[in-house]
Amino acid sequence: MTLQFSLASAHPETVETPCVVVGVYENGLLTSAAARIDSAADGAIKRQVESGDINGKAGSTTVLFAPAGVTAQRVLVVGLGSQKTFDAARFQKVNIEAARALGGLPLESAVSWLADIDVPGRDASWRVRTAALASDYAAYRYTATVKPRNPGKQPQFASLAFAAGAEAQTGLDQAVAIAEGVRFARELANLPPNICNPVYIAEQAKAFADAHDKVGCLVLDEVEMEKLGFGSLLAVGRGSANKPRLIALEYRGGAEDEKPYAFVGKGVTFDAGGISLKPGPGMDEMKFDMGGAAGVLGGFVSAVKMGLPLNLVCVVPSVENMPDGDSYRPGDVLTSLSGQTIEVLNTDAEGRLILCDALTWTAQTFQPRAIIDAATLTGACVIALGKHASGLMSKHDDLAAELLAAGEAALDRAWRLPLWDDYQVQLDSTFADFANIGGKSAGAITAGCFLSRFTDGQRWAHLDIAGTAWDEGRKGMATGRPVALLAQWLIDRTEK
């Protein structure tokens, strides 16, 4: 469900709506909006607090139906936790839980006063943007290959207004655009690999470009890439019946002579591991191995929808990594587009092999101001950082600082890992310029070291999103990260 967002200027006790949303802290302290509702309803909320039916635990929800003295049909009371420790992350959480509760009620719209809650260090525009994005995230449903459940049985929650002044309009506009990018990324990554293959991603990119005046799209097939010398990328795709594509979207929102920023995203639409076959359990999740591609495409969509005054390119190398009689093998030596040779020690370390050619091509073709790549690159990063933070690597301290700050602002956080030359020796090879893996230790970092060899002279950073791009398990879905981080980084560039 795509939510429609707006701003509202009304009093919570008199607004005409199927539901108003207010907050209560753990100690029974009511927010100003909850206090107004409570006063109009002759203490209805405080009585529930005193009885223990409303405990204020962060994310808990309670519905009061048709309370006397209140115009709204329902009041959704959301627990905010401790007021002393209330912060940005908690604010995001309570808005997610509020939207989930609203989605379970038989109503089409609601008005929320949660964006009126004080969050230390955050203004009204940030609060509305974050609340809207959290709500849209919670409202997302995957339906592409699923029959509707109980269609037409009850109204579907479709629109949410936030009580805020005109100063929050910028945040709301940004939220609408970023939410579209996040949904684009989530939908693409959630699709099964028999639908979402390299050609499908290329078609989606082309359709987006055709629908937007300032956007162009270039797609290279395997024949064109062979002529150009994409030896590393093409080797990875040799074992699949679904042929590789290199997809490049270009947005011209800035001056004609202004160099673009560049995103590059790993687009392995299914990763069986190739000859170095992965274990069977959990292999279905390898449809998410194009999460980097989905993320940078979503970031691109967000930038276009916001109409940011800059130039941006988004490059996606897309392949399937499958075992076959023509698959590349451990022991093979590949010649990359850069001319550097690579000894393959493990065919399941394929993401870096397609990214290296894409990074070289992006730098040569566009001479960008900065290159950010995103990839579900290493299990080692999941072990190091879990599902909470993306791994960030860069030799450029200023660029790393920009991305870390963007992640904090967008609540799409990253953590910087070292990219010291000390680690480069782990890639030494007797038979090529270097190998594609560096051994068991520091796997996420040596993957970054590998990519750094293809970015000489470039202002470049790498995001390993293997832990953050999707939620594990049979019901796990794509998260849409790092769309919000990338969008915020671009917003910051326009404000600088």
Side-chain angles (χ1 to χ4, degrees), residues 230 233 246-249 261-267 290-297 300 312-318 351-352 354-363 366 368 370-376 451 454-455 458 460-465 482 486 489:
F230 282 74
L233 186 157
L246 184 80
I247 304 144
L249 282 165
Y261 296 101
F263 294 158
V264 178
K266 173 187 171 184
M290 40 67 69
V296 297
L297 287 167
F300 185 90
L312 177 67
V313 295
C314 181
V315 177
V316 171
S318 189
R352 66 201 72 183
I354 68 170
L355 283 171
C356 70
D357 278 355
L359 287 167
T360 299
W361 184 81
T362 301
F366 299 105
I371 302 177
I372 313 299
D373 81 67
T376 53
L451 295 177
F454 300 87
T455 59
Q458 298 296 311
W460 160 80
H462 162 59
L463 289 168
D464 191 329
I465 60 169
L486 295 173
W489 180 73

Side-chain angles (χ1 to χ4, degrees), residues 68-432:
V70 177
T71 304
Q73 296 171 20
R74 302 168 187 82
V75 177
L76 176 66
V77 182
V78 183
L80 305 178
S82 169
Q83 185 186 29
K84 289 183 179 179
T85 58
F86 193 81
D87 59 9
R90 181 102 54 81
F91 180 79
Q92 182 185 55
K93 175 183 176 179
V94 299
N95 277 281
I96 288 175
E97 296 306 326
R100 285 175 177 160
L102 289 169
L105 296 173
L107 50 81
E108 295 180 349
S109 63
V111 182
S112 174
W113 265 261
L114 295 183
D116 195 40
I117 298 169
D118 180 59
V119 182
R122 313 287 183 164
D123 62 14
S125 185
W126 181 92
R127 295 196 303 269
V128 166
R129 190 180 86 173
T130 301
L133 286 172
S135 301
D136 194 78
Y137 185 88
Y140 172 82
R141 299 290 182 272
Y142 174 79
T143 60
T145 55
V146 179
K147 290 182 179 179
R149 294 181 176 90
N150 300 319
K153 295 294 183 181
Q154 69 176 33
Q156 295 294 303
F157 181 51
S159 65
L160 181 59
F162 297 100
E167 71 276 8
Q169 187 64 51
T170 296
L172 187 69
D173 293 341
Q174 290 174 348
V176 171
I178 296 170
E180 188 161 348
V182 171
R183 286 195 305 271
F184 186 97
R186 296 185 79 186
E187 192 71 8
L188 201 62
N190 283 331
L191 286 170
N194 59 316
I195 293 175
C196 183
N197 56 36
V199 169
Y200 181 87
I201 295 179
E203 290 171 345
Q204 298 308 298
K206 183 68 164 59
F208 183 80
D210 289 345
H212 296 84
D213 292 339
K214 295 182 179 181
V215 180
C217 183
L218 171 67
V219 178
L220 302 181
D221 63 21
E222 70 276 16
V223 175
E224 293 166 307
M225 284 190 279
E226 181 74 38
K227 291 178 181 177
L228 292 171
F230 282 74
S232 186
L233 186 157
L234 291 174
V236 177
R238 276 202 335 242
S240 175
N242 291 306
K243 298 306 178 185
R245 293 292 184 270
L246 184 80
I247 304 144
L249 282 165
E250 188 173 5
Y251 166 60
R252 295 172 292 276
E256 187 174 343
D257 59 348
E258 188 176 87
K259 289 184 178 180
Y261 296 101
F263 294 158
V264 178
K266 173 187 171 184
V268 179
T269 57
F270 188 77
D271 180 21
I275 297 299
S276 305
L277 191 67
K278 289 180 179 290
M283 195 190 287
D284 58 292
E285 294 183 3
M286 288 302 97
K287 70 175 187 176
F288 293 122
D289 209 21
M290 40 67 69
V296 297
L297 287 167
F300 185 90
V301 168
S302 299
V304 173
K305 293 296 182 180
M306 284 187 283
L308 294 181
L310 50 74
N311 295 327
L312 177 67
V313 295
C314 181
V315 177
V316 171
S318 189
V319 303
E320 271 193 343
N321 186 25
M322 299 287 284
D324 179 78
D326 193 36
S327 294
Y328 78 126
R329 297 151 293 221
D332 283 358
V333 174
L334 313 177
T335 302
S336 67
L337 180 62
S338 71
Q340 298 175 96
T341 58
I342 305 160
E343 181 185 12
V344 178
L345 297 182
N346 189 319
T347 65
D348 195 24
E350 84 299 330
R352 66 201 72 183
L353 296 177
I354 68 170
L355 283 171
C356 70
D357 278 355
L359 287 167
T360 299
W361 184 81
T362 301
Q364 292 176 349
T365 306
F366 299 105
Q367 295 87 45
R369 302 171 68 173
I371 302 177
I372 313 299
D373 81 67
T376 53
L377 206 61
T378 65
C381 196
V382 186
I383 299 302
L385 299 176
K387 307 293 290 184
H388 303 288
S390 300
L392 167 63
M393 281 159 266
S394 179
K395 291 186 176 181
H396 303 272
D397 292 343
D398 58 342
L399 180 56
E402 291 170 4
L403 290 165
L404 290 172
E408 289 292 334
L411 302 180
D412 183 2
R413 294 188 293 180
W415 188 261
R416 191 178 183 186
L417 299 172
L419 201 60
W420 303 330
D421 288 340
D422 308 54
Y423 293 100
Q424 292 282 1
V425 295
Q426 291 181 231
L427 297 172
D428 286 352
S429 168
T430 301
F431 303 104

